[in-house]
Amino acid sequence: MSPPGAALLTRPPVSGGGRGLAAQLVLALVSGGYAVGAALGWGSGELAKIMGDFGLSTAGLLAAVSCYHYARTIDRRERPAWLMFAFSSLMGALGNAVWGWYEVVLGQQVPEPSLADFAFLCFAPPAIVGLLVLAKRPVTRAGWVCLGLDSWLIGGSLLTLSWSLALANAARTAQSGEPGSVPRAALSLAYPLLDIALVSMVLVLHFRRSANNRSAVNTAIAALALTVLSDALFTSPLLNTTYSSGEILDAGWFAGSLLLAYAPWGARRPEPLPRTGSPRAERPHSRPISGSLPALTPYLAAAVCTLGILYNVVDGRKVDRMVVFTGCTVVLALVIRQGIMLLDNIALTQELAQKENHFRSLVQGSSDVIMIAAPTGTLRYVSPAAAGVYGREAEELVGTELAALIHPDDLGRVVHEVRRFLAAPPAEEPTTRIECRFKSGGGEWLNVESTVNRHQGGLILNSRDVTERVRLQAQLQHSAEHDPLTDLPNRALFTRRVRQALTGRRSGDHSTAVLFIDLDGFKAVNDTIGHQAGDELLIEAARRLHDAVRAGDTAARLGGDEFAALIIGDAGRDRGAREYQVREIADRLRATLSQPYRIAGSEVRVAASIGVAFADPGITPSDLMRNADLAMYRAKAGGKDRVELYAPQMQAEVVRKAELAGRLRTALHEGEFALLHQPVVSLATGQVAAVAAQARWRSAQGILFTPAEFLRVAEHSEGASAGPDGFRTAELGRWLLEEAVEQAAERHRAGHDVPVAVRMTAQRLLDRSLPRGSVEALLARHGLPSGALVLELAASDPRVPFDELERRLTALHRLGVRIALDGVGSGYAAISALRRLPVDVLKLDRGLVEGVVESARLHKITAGLLRIANDLGMQSVADGVDLPEQVLALRAMGCTHGQGAAFSGPLDEYRLRRALVRGTFAVPGGTAQPALAGGSSGGSMVIHRGSNNETPVPPA
């Protein structure tokens, strides 16, 4: 782990490092000073006794207070151990105090036995209990037996050696029968026996100590070991008879007490926080020698016991029965201990074999391939699953370089990831995941996902084949970015490529262009030969578009019959050259898409309107695509089947129309529209035959705008959604029809039975949002007879389904609603409408009427149309009759009615009623019978109810 990581994962120390080092120096100086003073005899015998007795008592008392206070500050299972250590130190302090009382205060020899001996005997048992508490408790019954056997192996061997060296003499003294020999012998035996037991526990605890606060426990063990060593020297025959207080031996007891007092405080170290990661990373590396000492302990104990027996044999003395008995029990304990270890080893071996078989079955039965790679990259193990995944046997892969199996394009990325992973701390990143391509036995490359772990400097790879998943992801990605019908890029992918072209390395190339393409006449294909044929046409158009664009360019389908192309320009060209190049590409695309299509065995023709926008400096992808869309709509409005380059005024015009559309919508909702009526006059009698309803917009300044001035905006937004700033003719048409019917009904109730003519588009009549029977319901609600309503429809509109329109008009015609064909003479021919629709009135377009006097050609066309109307029994109305000459010419050609400034302009309701009361208008040239009079020549627009397919005989 890196130093910053170690600092983050470590608790701050309780005391600074400087304070701990200072405490250790003070401890060393005090102990060393005591040892020097004891070695020099303290300068006098009296001071030596004081320091040897009360000095040791003070050190013991200090150790007792320190351990007791530490036990109160911890809340662990070790608290009883430190209380026992405190009691043991207190007994040692008490024994030294009693010894000093006799020697220093009373000035006499310490009696044997005395209270001091009792206190010293009470030193070892509490320390032994404390060590047992600190020892790691066995979890099995065999563990407890082994603990007891280990203790006896150590204690018995030490007893054998001690008995051979010194204790046998004490036992023989007790058997001599001298006065006071038995108590002295008992004390001589009690001290070493308790020390042997204490040493045994110290050694056992060294190999079985708990991991909690290990530093403090180790220091306490060292303190007790130093004390036991001093006791052993004191009980030896060499020092026992010549010992006096204040000698160098007291320095060992003094240092042991101070070290025990220092153990719980100065020796404490910060404990690391728990970390997550591999156990191997958290476990410190143990030293081989220290790790083998617990296993060698029984043999070392037997060796010590053998040395005790050999001492007696070599010395020529008879082997003591105590030595023989103790040695036999030690050997027996060793045999039992070894038997238990043998049984444990057999059980562990069986368990290990079972686990090894279990994990081997898991590895060999896994569908994933498990491989172990050496630090050099050579595969040392490969599981049998490799045959099913890679198509190669595991034995064949063992010994192969791992790099030889990875695709060359992925090798650099894999090596970089492995090096980064091996350099990372194991606790922070125990595993990593790598996805690359592996070479299979058949030679193809498989997509493989591997989980990588560390293993003895090498790697363990758990790999699985994810080729199908990668293919599925690629298919889903392709489906999400491509049109399902034509397989061209969709709008999302096209937008992303436009963004890449504007922000990538070509961001400074302003010759890049976007083309928006719309197929003119595609809706008619769907309506006439079906949607299946329309789909086939779109597929063929997409193929042509894809083949026509250059390599590196992008062709896409945006939806419906709208396509787009991204043309990557040449940065070295000037503006004129790049416009010429892109214009040439656009013309080629238009010509290609406009060629005939062979669909369902028949030839189908559509045209292409193309808008072009260039990537000017600072433009965004959305603005660039919007500009191309505006140019495309300008191409459609300019006559279709053409190419239009974007110009800034197009956006300004769109903004202006949007603002005007918003104003018109607000005006409609706030009642700023007014309804005017223009009389339709009989050209023969001047009588008012009908009134034509017209809408006017009254501005805030009181100016009335004519339909020609505001309906262009409405027609431009026809079919668009009615947003907050939108304006549709549907709303205006609904208002116009409702107002016209309501006012006509009021006039009807006032006695003015004059029909009202309302202009209505075919799309509006067939609008799905308009409920069926809405016209009939409107007439019934206002009480207007159906014969008093005339609906004026455009002469021809290729976007309208003719069959549905015919059914709708036939239903209205049966109820008495009269149908007028408006705009005859402009746009496409109205032959189909005249042949199939129930038309009652033919209304000539204003363009014909304006040139009927000056143009002989228009005169003949108008005369022909009027002749057809008369032959079919229809009445005719000329729109825009403004001059007397036009009235005379039209009447001479057989036109029955006229509407225009020659008679009256649009009138408000008050002036209209005054005109209806008068009933007639002056007709230029007086009343005269036309040459061909179709229907009645009277003032009202009466319709002959004969068949439209029959030619009525004109009256004489």
Side-chain angles (χ1 to χ4, degrees):
M1 184 179 298
S2 61
L8 288 175
L9 296 177
T10 305
R11 290 193 184 100
V14 177
S15 60
R19 183 190 299 181
L21 181 60
Q24 294 174 6
L25 290 176
V26 170
L27 177 65
L29 290 175
V30 173
S31 300
Y34 189 95
V36 171
L40 298 177
W42 297 105
S44 66
E46 189 69 20
L47 181 60
K49 292 180 180 180
I50 294 175
M51 295 301 297
D53 295 335
F54 292 109
L56 292 181
S57 178
T58 303
L61 184 61
L62 180 63
V65 173
S66 176
C67 292
Y68 176 76
H69 182 66
Y70 176 66
R72 292 185 59 187
T73 60
I74 59 175
D75 187 15
R76 301 176 183 173
R77 59 178 294 269
E78 294 88 355
R79 175 179 291 180
W82 292 101
L83 290 176
M84 290 294 101
F85 292 156
F87 181 73
S88 176
S89 300
L90 183 62
M91 290 296 101
L94 178 61
N96 284 298
V98 171
W99 197 289
W101 175 262
Y102 281 105
E103 283 192 337
V104 176
V105 177
L106 299 180
Q108 63 184 20
Q109 188 71 22
V110 181
E112 295 183 7
S114 65
L115 182 61
D117 294 322
F118 173 78
F120 288 145
L121 290 177
C122 292
F123 173 81
I128 294 173
V129 173
L131 292 175
L132 287 175
V133 172
L134 290 178
K136 186 184 297 183
R137 297 179 182 177
V139 295
T140 61
R141 185 178 300 174
W144 284 105
V145 174
C146 290
L147 177 62
L149 292 175
D150 291 341
S151 301
W152 174 243
L153 283 172
I154 298 173
S157 60
L158 294 177
L159 177 62
T160 301
L161 184 61
S162 301
W163 190 273
S164 300
L165 295 176
L167 298 184
N169 294 328
R172 284 192 292 269
T173 301
Q175 295 176 357
S176 62
E178 297 179 3
S181 60
V182 174
R184 287 195 300 271
L187 287 176
S188 300
L189 292 175
Y191 282 126
L193 291 177
L194 289 175
D195 286 338
I196 288 172
L198 185 57
V199 169
S200 301
M201 294 311 305
V202 167
L203 293 176
V204 171
L205 178 61
H206 176 71
F207 302 119
R208 293 178 176 269
R209 62 186 180 276
S210 175
N212 294 330
N213 203 2
R214 182 173 298 178
S215 179
V217 173
N218 289 339
T219 306
I221 291 175
L224 294 176
L226 185 58
T227 302
V228 170
L229 178 62
S230 300
D231 286 345
L233 294 175
F234 173 75
T235 57
S236 65
L238 298 176
L239 298 179
N240 189 5
T241 56
T242 62
Y243 170 79
S244 62
S245 299
E247 292 185 354
I248 189 64
L249 185 61
D250 291 348
W253 285 313
F254 183 81
S257 298
L258 290 185
L259 193 61
L260 185 60
Y262 170 78
W265 306 105
R268 282 199 299 169
R269 292 292 183 269
E271 298 179 3
L273 289 171
R275 297 180 295 176
T276 58
S278 81
R280 184 175 180 272
E282 297 177 4
R283 185 173 60 250
H285 296 285
S286 61
R287 297 179 182 177
I289 295 179
S290 63
S292 59
L293 282 179
L296 296 177
T297 301
Y299 303 101
L300 294 176
V304 171
C305 184
T306 304
L307 289 175
I309 297 175
L310 290 177
Y311 175 79
N312 287 272
V313 174
V314 172
D315 197 24
R317 292 181 294 179
K318 182 181 178 181
V319 179
D320 195 283
R321 287 178 295 177
M322 184 65 182
V323 174
V324 174
F325 175 78
T326 306
C328 292
T329 56
V330 169
V331 173
L332 180 60
L334 178 60
V335 172
I336 297 174
R337 182 71 173 82
Q338 293 302 107
I340 294 176
M341 290 180 62
L342 180 61
L343 293 177
D344 286 345
N345 289 336
I346 294 174
L348 289 175
T349 303
Q350 293 177 350
E351 183 180 358
L352 181 62
Q354 292 178 356
K355 290 184 177 180
E356 183 179 357
N357 292 332
H358 175 69
F359 286 109
R360 185 179 298 275
S361 300
L362 289 178
V363 170
Q364 294 182 352
S366 174
S367 59
D368 294 348
V369 181
I370 299 176
M371 300 181 294
I372 299 178
T376 59
T378 305
L379 294 177
R380 297 188 304 186
Y381 172 80
V382 179
S383 66
V389 176
Y390 299 148
R392 303 174 67 177
E393 296 297 332
E395 294 78 6
E396 179 185 352
L397 291 174
V398 173
T400 306
E401 292 290 337
L402 183 61
L405 302 175
I406 301 176
H407 195 282
D409 295 341
D410 300 339
L411 183 59
R413 175 174 54 84
V414 173
V415 171
H416 179 270
E417 175 61 21
V418 170
R419 289 178 177 175
R420 185 204 61 79
F421 169 67
L422 293 178
E428 296 180 3
E429 190 174 2
T431 63
T432 187
R433 181 170 296 179
I434 296 175
E435 186 170 334
C436 60
R437 286 168 288 180
F438 265 44
K439 191 174 185 179
S440 67
E444 66 271 10
W445 294 99
L446 303 176
N447 293 93
V448 176
E449 182 185 65
S450 302
T451 302
V452 184
N453 295 270
R454 300 172 180 84
H455 176 68
Q456 297 179 359
L459 299 173
I460 294 180
L461 295 94
N462 191 354
S463 306
R464 62 200 63 87
D465 183 10
V466 293
T467 304
E468 291 301 323
R469 188 194 71 185
V470 172
R471 290 176 182 173
L472 179 60
Q473 288 177 346
Q475 292 176 359
L476 293 176
Q477 183 71 17
H478 182 84
S479 300
E481 295 179 341
H482 289 77
D483 177 59
L485 179 64
T486 63
D487 202 39
L488 288 180
N490 58 13
R491 182 182 293 273
L493 180 57
F494 183 78
T495 303
R496 186 162 68 251
R497 290 187 178 177
V498 172
R499 183 179 297 108
Q500 292 173 354
L502 297 182
T503 58
R505 61 184 181 87
R506 292 181 174 270
S507 58
D509 183 5
H510 306 308
S511 58
T512 299
V514 170
L515 279 62
F516 267 40
I517 307 166
D518 186 81
L519 299 182
D520 303 320
F522 174 74
K523 189 175 185 304
V525 175
N526 274 343
D527 294 338
T528 54
I529 60 178
H531 290 274
Q532 180 64 32
D535 291 344
E536 294 179 10
L537 190 149
L538 289 176
I539 294 173
E540 176 63 20
R543 186 191 63 79
R544 294 183 184 183
L545 180 61
H546 181 269
D547 295 341
V549 297
R550 306 169 307 170
D553 296 340
T554 300
R557 183 192 178 203
L558 304 183
D561 60 343
E562 291 188 1
F563 295 86
L566 173 63
I567 307 299
I568 303 299
D570 185 1
R573 296 174 177 264
D574 57 10
R575 184 178 183 88
R578 69 168 183 172
E579 290 186 0
Y580 176 80
Q581 180 191 26
V582 174
R583 183 63 180 260
E584 184 181 14
I585 295 174
D587 285 332
R588 186 173 71 251
L589 293 178
R590 181 193 59 78
T592 301
L593 295 175
S594 299
Q595 292 178 2
Y597 295 82
R598 195 72 181 176
I599 305 296
S602 59
E603 189 176 271
V604 178
R605 290 181 178 271
V606 293
S609 296
I610 302 178
V612 181
F614 288 96
D616 293 328
I619 195 170
T620 62
S622 59
D623 290 343
L624 179 59
M625 296 174 66
R626 180 206 61 196
N627 294 345
D629 196 20
L630 292 176
M632 185 265 290
Y633 277 108
R634 173 60 64 91
K636 293 178 70 69
K640 303 179 180 180
D641 192 18
R642 55 180 296 178
V643 176
E644 190 76 31
L645 299 182
Y646 171 78
Q649 57 267 25
M650 294 182 184
Q651 176 64 18
E653 183 179 353
V654 170
V655 173
R656 183 185 62 81
K657 289 184 176 181
E659 293 176 352
L660 182 57
R663 290 174 56 196
L664 292 176
R665 182 182 181 88
T666 303
L668 181 61
H669 289 170
E670 294 182 358
E672 296 182 9
F673 274 89
L675 185 64
L676 303 181
H677 295 82
Q678 189 172 24
V680 179
V681 179
S682 172
L683 298 183
T685 64
Q687 184 179 357
V688 179
V691 291
Q694 298 178 2
R696 293 291 188 273
W697 177 29
R698 189 185 305 275
S699 67
Q701 292 77 20
I703 303 174
L704 290 177
F705 292 95
T706 63
E709 293 171 327
F710 65 79
L711 283 184
R712 285 195 300 269
V713 179
E715 292 172 358
H716 177 76
S717 59
E718 177 70 27
S721 61
D725 298 327
F727 181 76
R728 296 194 304 174
T729 55
E731 300 182 41
L732 181 61
R734 184 186 305 112
W735 176 86
L736 179 62
L737 179 61
E738 293 179 355
E739 288 291 321
V741 170
E742 182 179 1
Q743 293 186 18
E746 294 178 358
R747 291 193 299 271
H748 184 76
R749 287 190 290 269
H752 304 291
D753 301 333
V754 180
V756 61
V758 180
R759 193 177 188 278
M760 196 173 192
T761 62
Q763 293 97 323
R764 173 60 184 160
L765 189 63
L766 299 179
D767 192 355
R768 301 290 182 183
S769 63
L770 187 66
R772 282 291 184 182
S774 57
V775 177
E776 297 87 337
L778 184 62
L779 295 174
R781 184 168 70 250
H782 294 287
L784 181 67
S786 57
L789 177 62
V790 180
L791 293 181
E792 299 179 350
L793 275 80
S796 175
D797 192 341
R799 297 174 297 175
V800 177
F802 229 81
D803 294 338
E804 188 175 353
L805 179 61
E806 182 181 6
R807 289 192 296 268
R808 178 62 176 146
L809 291 180
T810 301
L812 291 174
H813 194 266
R814 289 172 182 171
L815 294 176
V817 177
R818 290 182 281 180
I819 309 300
L821 193 61
D822 189 19
V824 176
S826 65
Y828 296 98
I831 300 302
S832 297
L834 293 174
R835 180 173 61 87
R836 298 179 57 180
L837 301 181
V839 178
D840 300 316
V841 179
L842 188 145
K843 192 170 185 179
L844 297 177
D845 185 70
R846 178 182 293 270
L848 287 179
V849 176
E850 289 177 351
V852 72
V853 177
E854 293 84 359
S855 174
R857 187 180 185 89
L858 291 180
H859 188 279
K860 291 180 180 180
I861 293 174
T862 305
L865 293 174
L866 291 173
R867 186 176 297 107
I868 292 174
N870 282 281
D871 290 344
L872 294 178
M874 301 179 184
Q875 289 191 345
S876 55
V877 177
D879 189 13
V881 182
D882 299 332
L883 301 174
E885 294 84 358
Q886 296 171 347
V887 176
L888 297 176
L890 291 169
R891 186 170 62 181
M893 285 185 286
C895 183
T896 60
H897 296 80
Q899 173 185 341
F903 306 105
S904 173
L907 305 175
D908 57 18
E909 187 64 21
Y910 174 76
R911 291 184 175 85
L912 176 61
R913 293 202 178 191
R914 290 181 57 186
L916 293 179
V917 171
R918 188 171 65 249
T920 59
F921 289 90
V923 179
T927 59
Q929 290 291 336
L932 296 174
S936 173
S937 60
S940 61
M941 298 174 65
V942 180
I943 306 301
H944 294 280
R945 298 301 178 188
S947 173
N948 286 340
N949 295 326
E950 299 177 0
T951 303
V953 180

